[in-house]
Amino acid sequence: MPRPTLAGAVLLITAAVAGLAALFSDGAGAQSPAGQSPTGQSPALVFGILETEQPPLVDMRNGEVAGGLIKAIGDEIARRTGLRPLYRLVPRNRLEADLADGLIDLACGYSPDWLPKVAITRFSTPILVSHSVLVVRRGDSERLRTLGDLAGRSIGAILGFRYPREVEAAFIDGTWQREDAPSAESNFLKLRNRRVDAILTTDLEADYRQTTDKTWAQALTVLPQTVGDHEERCANAPRSPLPMETLDAAIEAMRADGTLTRLRLAATGRAAS
């Protein structure tokens, strides 16, 4: 067999290199079917979850989001839109910035009043309606029956949380004395331990405790007057992979087929208050 010339050897090497380059180029540029990533996974939809969230909205286990109403709604939105849900814990003071910067795609369970830096056009159709309520100790319920009975008293609130306009006005003018805590659970403990006269919470949290914790239900009571109604929505980041119209369509379908009612009932023990 004749030995290859120097020129022939160069041609063989050049062809081999070109073949390898083409192979890697084809692999890098290939598109997976149905918009999937090259690994076969659906594109991710990253939900921002506040680090301080607690049941019934979010269940945490070992520092990760494991369940709760917001996760259940998020999982269902992702399923209906063909995306893969991921949940990222976010400090309260970073939520709006992380949406703007594209570090998270969706933050669900918020009224536009609570996230004033997010454009109103980036909020979805409502996923649920909640009501702000005041909770007092059952032993005090005979003398603390109305909002007026709480004048001058200490009211437990959540640090950094924006309340309805009338509530904020009562804090500013001194009608109520605001006592902040880092979470809803901290506020309930402060109320039980007589460190505040009442606490502000939502009917979602009140329903959850009344239906899942007999000790709580026997010790505390909810005043009949609500102090604000909230249409809670999903804030959709400008660079979210989920178009607003697709998000709204998924939520409306969940409302129409009873999914939102079913998920709320499973998380709080009541379909609505």
Side-chain angles (χ1 to χ4, degrees):
M1 186 173 182
R3 296 174 63 183
T5 64
L6 178 60
V10 170
L11 287 174
L12 288 173
I13 293 171
T14 302
V17 171
L20 287 172
L23 177 63
F24 282 107
S25 175
D26 289 344
Q31 295 295 317
S32 299
Q36 290 186 334
S37 68
T39 62
Q41 290 185 317
S42 300
L45 184 64
V46 183
F47 291 82
I49 300 290
L50 292 185
E51 294 173 334
T52 54
E53 289 287 19
Q54 295 179 330
L57 298 180
V58 176
D59 289 332
M60 300 282 193
R61 295 176 193 167
N62 300 320
E64 296 184 353
V65 177
L69 178 57
I70 296 303
K71 183 179 186 299
I73 291 174
D75 286 350
E76 188 65 17
I77 289 173
R79 185 186 71 80
R80 292 178 185 237
T81 56
L83 298 171
R84 177 169 49 95
L86 296 177
Y87 296 90
R88 176 173 293 166
L89 297 180
V90 180
R92 181 177 294 277
N93 63 356
R94 285 291 311 170
L95 187 63
E96 290 169 300
D98 283 2
L99 281 165
D101 294 341
L103 297 179
I104 56 177
D105 301 316
L106 279 180
C108 292
Y110 297 95
S111 163
D113 292 339
W114 301 342
L115 301 177
K117 295 180 182 178
V118 178
I120 189 67
T121 55
R122 301 308 304 174
F123 281 92
S124 72
T125 189
I127 57 173
L128 56 90
V129 176
S130 65
H131 309 282
S132 289
V133 296
L134 283 151
V135 179
V136 299
R137 288 178 292 273
R138 188 169 295 276
D140 295 334
S141 60
E142 287 300 313
R143 59 192 181 89
L144 300 179
R145 296 183 178 183
T146 68
L147 303 183
D149 293 336
L150 293 172
R153 295 184 177 275
S154 57
I155 309 296
I158 295 179
L159 182 65
F161 193 85
R162 291 175 177 266
Y163 289 94
R165 186 175 294 106
E166 57 270 32
V167 173
E168 293 289 351
F171 286 144
I172 291 171
D173 67 19
T175 300
W176 293 342
Q177 304 300 315
R178 179 168 181 161
E179 295 287 343
D180 282 328
S183 67
E185 183 64 27
S186 298
N187 267 327
F188 278 100
L189 291 174
K190 287 172 69 174
L191 182 60
R192 277 183 172 176
N193 295 331
R194 309 190 69 83
R195 293 174 57 194
V196 292
D197 296 304
I199 60 172
L200 275 161
T201 188
T202 69
D203 58 332
L204 297 171
E205 293 167 336
D207 288 347
Y208 169 74
R209 284 170 172 78
Q210 285 181 316
T211 57
T212 63
D213 186 343
K214 291 182 179 179
T215 302
W216 185 94
Q218 293 169 357
L220 308 174
T221 188
V222 180
L223 295 190
Q225 307 99 321
T226 62
V227 290
D229 302 330
H230 318 286
E231 288 188 334
E232 300 190 22
R233 306 166 185 261
C234 293
N236 196 18
R239 286 181 275 176
S240 169
L242 188 57
M244 288 301 305
E245 58 270 21
T246 305
L247 172 60
D248 283 343
I251 294 171
E252 289 297 345
M254 292 164 64
R255 178 177 295 104
D257 65 17
T259 297
L260 289 176
T261 298
R262 175 176 57 80
L263 295 179
R264 178 171 178 157
L265 175 63
T268 69
R270 291 182 187 170
S273 295

